[in-house]
Amino acid sequence: MSDVVFITGATSGFGRAAARRFAQAGWSLVLTGRRFERLQVLREELQGRVPVHIAALDVRDAEAVRQVVAALPEGFRQVRALINNAGLALAPQPAQQVALEDWHTVIDTNITGLVNVTHALLPTLIASGQGASIVNLGSVAGHWPYPGGHVYGATKAFVEQFGYNLRCDLLGTGVRVTDIAPGMAETEFTLVRTKGDQAASERLYRGTTPLTAEDIAEQIFYVASLPAHININRLEIMPVRQAWSPFAIDRD
Ligand code: NDP
Ligand code: 8X3
């Protein structure tokens, strides 16, 4: 029987590219996200190659997460890799201009959602043992502050530290935990962050060479398919054409 990967946020960007990458290697797929029609399209594309189970899921809803995991059909229950990818940023404006509701949405998705899915699948992953993987999508924003990063970067700092702490508790179970921390990658991320501003999204990526969804999918697949005795703790990846800026100074 083939290994099973459970991917959150498989309707777009890294999650969708990861689904394709794992399918290429013959893994069975559990694909989740809120936009069910997109999951149906992806299942249509991949099910000729590997078994695919899709489930509409908002990761913020702990009870829905529990139900989706409890209802996994035969052949999809022994999850070997969890890809905690669902996430978003909202409002690139300075913190003092952002609606509290947007902060809550980001925190509820990137922290509570990730914790919900991890909690629901931990028993299965531990039962799977040696070589099982949790791959969390962090970000360079979790390590390096920048204007407009406010809660987004803070949620990704949580993701990093949660992963390290998980590793401490999972020692002896064989379950690995990795924080993949990408820099700028062209997906629907900026479209979502700007609430649908296509021009702003295009402006950000124009004239440079961002990472692609496929670049990150390759890294996700890599860490989850390494020999069972290897744990990559954190993998930070930037495009060559992205780097840091000097400190900002307020002057009279
Ligand atoms: P996309 O916007 O292209 O994809 C985000 C995915 O997350 C979608 O499939 C979306 O599905 C899903 N999602 C969002 N909210 C929820 C929710 N409440 N419940 C379930 N699924 C949800 O962005 P990326 O592929 O770029 O982002 C994937 C991850 O990578 C995120 O965690 C992001 O923070 C992180 N990241 C992105 C970077 C980038 O530059 N692109 C860089 C570093 C990290 P749906 O809307 O259908 O539910
Ligand atoms: C998203 C990448 O550079 O916008 O996590 O913070 S960046």
Side-chain angles (χ1 to χ4, degrees), residues 8-16 32-36 38-39 57-61 84-89 105 108-110 113 137-141 152 155-156 180-193 204-205 211 213 216:
T8 67
T11 58
S12 174
F14 302 160
R16 184 167 54 196
T32 68
R34 290 168 302 177
R35 288 170 288 182
F36 192 66
R38 287 192 179 205
L39 293 174
L57 180 63
D58 185 329
V59 293
R60 293 172 293 179
D61 182 343
N84 270 323
N85 164 76
L88 81 169
T105 302
D108 291 349
T109 307
N110 298 2
L137 266 297
S139 169
V140 294
Y152 177 68
T155 64
K156 295 304 187 179
I180 293 195
M184 184 172 62
E186 186 167 4
T187 61
E188 293 176 18
F189 179 80
T190 302
L191 198 60
V192 172
R193 188 178 217 171
L204 179 66
Y205 303 124
L211 298 168
I216 299 307

Side-chain angles (χ1 to χ4, degrees), residues 87-249:
L88 81 169
L90 281 177
Q93 294 81 14
Q96 56 274 28
Q97 294 170 19
V98 178
L100 179 60
E101 192 192 357
D102 286 345
W103 277 2
H104 283 167
T105 302
V106 174
I107 293 166
D108 291 349
T109 307
N110 298 2
I111 296 182
T112 308
L114 181 139
V115 162
N116 287 342
V117 182
T118 305
H119 192 271
L121 281 169
L122 264 183
T124 310
L125 290 160
I126 291 169
S128 178
Q130 290 289 324
S133 306
I134 300 172
V135 183
N136 295 327
L137 266 297
S139 169
V140 294
H143 228 73
W144 313 106
Y146 59 76
H150 39 83
V151 290
Y152 177 68
T155 64
K156 295 304 187 179
F158 173 93
V159 170
E160 178 182 359
Q161 194 63 23
F162 179 56
Y164 296 159
N165 285 342
L166 271 181
R167 286 217 60 224
C168 296
D169 293 342
L170 292 173
L171 189 67
T173 67
V175 181
R176 319 183 262 200
V177 188
T178 300
D179 173 36
I180 293 195
M184 184 172 62
E186 186 167 4
T187 61
E188 293 176 18
F189 179 80
T190 302
L191 198 60
V192 172
R193 188 178 217 171
T194 59
K195 300 188 177 172
D197 189 340
Q198 185 71 45
S201 179
E202 283 166 14
R203 235 182 355 263
L204 179 66
Y205 303 124
R206 193 185 307 140
T208 186
T209 316
L211 298 168
T212 65
E214 290 70 29
D215 294 332
I216 299 307
E218 195 59 41
Q219 302 309 313
I220 294 170
F221 178 74
Y222 162 71
V223 301
S225 53
L226 280 165
H229 66 287
I230 303 175
N231 193 113
I232 305 272
N233 297 331
R234 184 168 187 274
L235 194 51
E236 183 176 295
I237 310 155
M238 275 185 182
V240 172
R241 300 183 75 185
Q242 180 180 28
W244 305 269
S245 294
F247 287 119
I249 317 268

